[in-house]
Amino acid sequence: MKVTVIGFGQCGGRIADEFERINRTAINRRGIEITPGVYAVNTDSADLAGLHHIKADYKHRILIGSNKTGGHGVGKD
């Protein structure tokens, strides 16, 4: 079974990051890929930058609402 993981917000992004870590371990130890696609979506660029295992490109770490929030998250908006 293959799973695509999309994490929304800070918590979802961290869960998606953990799935990517597990996927890399599975590839290294067993040679199997569990999650071919792992993505994090957030309004806060700092949260996206804090992820360690998801690829650091605009296709896998997706910043939304940057015109409205300036990449600082929604906070009290």
Side-chain angles (χ1 to χ4, degrees):
M1 175 173 64
K2 305 267 182 179
V3 178
T4 298
V5 178
I6 304 171
F8 292 94
Q10 183 180 15
C11 184
R14 293 187 188 276
I15 291 169
D17 198 46
E18 184 66 15
F19 267 97
E20 182 62 21
R21 185 190 68 76
I22 292 168
N23 186 51
R24 287 186 188 176
T25 302
I27 290 171
N28 290 337
R29 290 187 183 172
R30 306 273 184 190
I32 59 170
E33 183 176 39
I34 301 167
T35 55
V38 179
Y39 307 93
V41 180
N42 204 327
T43 57
D44 191 347
S45 59
D47 284 340
L48 290 175
L51 303 175
H52 301 290
H53 303 288
I54 295 176
K55 294 178 186 175
D57 61 6
Y58 70 94
K59 292 181 181 179
H60 293 89
R61 296 183 187 190
I62 303 166
L63 180 65
I64 59 172
S66 60
N67 292 337
K68 190 163 199 126
T69 66
H72 298 291
V74 292
K76 295 180 179 160
D77 288 350

